[in-house]
Amino acid sequence: MRNIENTYVNYEELVNKVGKEVIESRIKQIAFEMSEFIKNYELQDFVYINEMLLTHAIMDYFSDIQRLKDYQKIEHINEVKIKAYETFWLLKRKPLQLTKQMESDKWLYVNEKFLLVRLTNFMLQDNINVPMVQERKLSFTNYLDTLYYYLKFRKTDAQALELMLLAFQAGKLIG
């Protein structure tokens, strides 16, 4: 793992507020998720985790969240906001990098695919093993296709991602 003291040069106040252990834990957690993604899709020969980009993504995430907490004078934020801000910064920094040319461009958007898988797992949480009726499956597939397209080609920010996740939760309640 990268020596995070080198990265923290401009983040000293943030590290003091959030805590070095908390930040390192989040970096390790997401690096593990990325490693599992790489392993599950057999991308070890083509994709690696750029630790500096991952570290900066997490530091930027904590920086945004800390500003939000300070401004709103709150101690905790909800998990939707956490996932939205993490996704935004991981999408912006793109820590998954291709190591060499592949035969197809299927994994050209490897960061976006990783984030789509991550968001899908988050959205389904408890319902991941519940079979869907065909109509709902088609609707969910269309939603995921649209979300993937959005991650690839649209300018996005954390607030828009948060709204998408909240809309999905609302749809689950109504559906």
Side-chain angles (χ1 to χ4, degrees):
M1 201 69 173
R2 198 174 150 68
N3 180 357
I4 70 170
E5 273 75 22
N6 294 337
T7 305
Y8 290 161
V9 172
N10 297 323
Y11 295 110
E12 189 174 333
E13 184 180 335
L14 178 66
V15 173
N16 290 334
K17 274 188 168 184
V18 175
K20 183 177 175 180
E21 299 79 23
V22 171
I23 294 168
E24 287 177 339
S25 174
R26 184 66 56 90
I27 292 168
K28 286 178 185 171
Q29 172 210 341
I30 293 180
F32 174 77
E33 290 176 28
M34 289 177 164
S35 295
E36 289 298 300
F37 174 82
I38 290 168
K39 187 171 68 176
N40 288 340
Y41 289 94
E42 300 176 356
L43 297 170
Q44 299 90 328
D45 294 337
F46 304 102
V47 176
Y48 75 99
I49 302 167
N50 183 310
E51 291 177 11
M52 183 179 4
L53 292 174
L54 175 58
T55 300
H56 277 286
I58 299 308
M59 294 304 293
D60 291 335
Y61 156 78
F62 276 114
S63 182
D64 269 2
I65 293 302
Q66 193 58 51
R67 273 194 297 272
L68 185 68
K69 287 178 174 182
D70 291 347
Y71 178 75
Q72 294 183 356
K73 295 178 181 29
I74 57 175
E75 196 169 321
H76 301 286
I77 59 169
N78 65 50
E79 62 182 358
V80 169
K81 196 174 293 292
I82 290 169
K83 205 56 74 178
Y85 277 82
E86 281 178 346
T87 300
F88 170 74
W89 282 109
L90 291 169
L91 186 61
K92 188 156 184 81
R93 294 291 187 190
K94 299 189 184 307
L96 292 176
Q97 299 286 306
L98 297 177
T99 58
K100 60 183 177 181
Q101 186 72 31
M102 299 177 84
E103 290 181 20
S104 79
D105 62 356
K106 178 180 178 183
W107 294 101
L108 182 62
Y109 296 100
V110 66
N111 287 282
E112 291 81 352
K113 286 189 182 181
F114 166 73
L115 292 169
L116 181 66
V117 168
R118 193 167 192 263
L119 289 173
T120 301
N121 288 334
F122 173 74
M123 289 184 291
L124 293 178
Q125 288 178 8
D126 298 333
N127 299 327
I128 199 145
N129 294 317
V130 176
M132 286 189 200
V133 294
Q134 188 59 31
E135 183 179 304
R136 276 192 156 169
K137 194 176 205 176
L138 181 60
S139 179
F140 186 63
T141 301
N142 289 340
Y143 177 80
L144 291 179
D145 287 344
T146 302
L147 180 56
Y148 181 52
Y149 179 86
Y150 187 85
L151 291 172
K152 288 191 310 189
F153 301 118
R154 296 287 185 238
K155 283 188 175 187
T156 186
D157 60 24
Q159 294 84 7
L161 290 164
E162 181 182 4
L163 185 60
M164 283 183 211
L165 294 172
L166 289 170
F168 183 82
Q169 285 182 342
K172 280 181 13 181
L173 293 174
I174 295 169

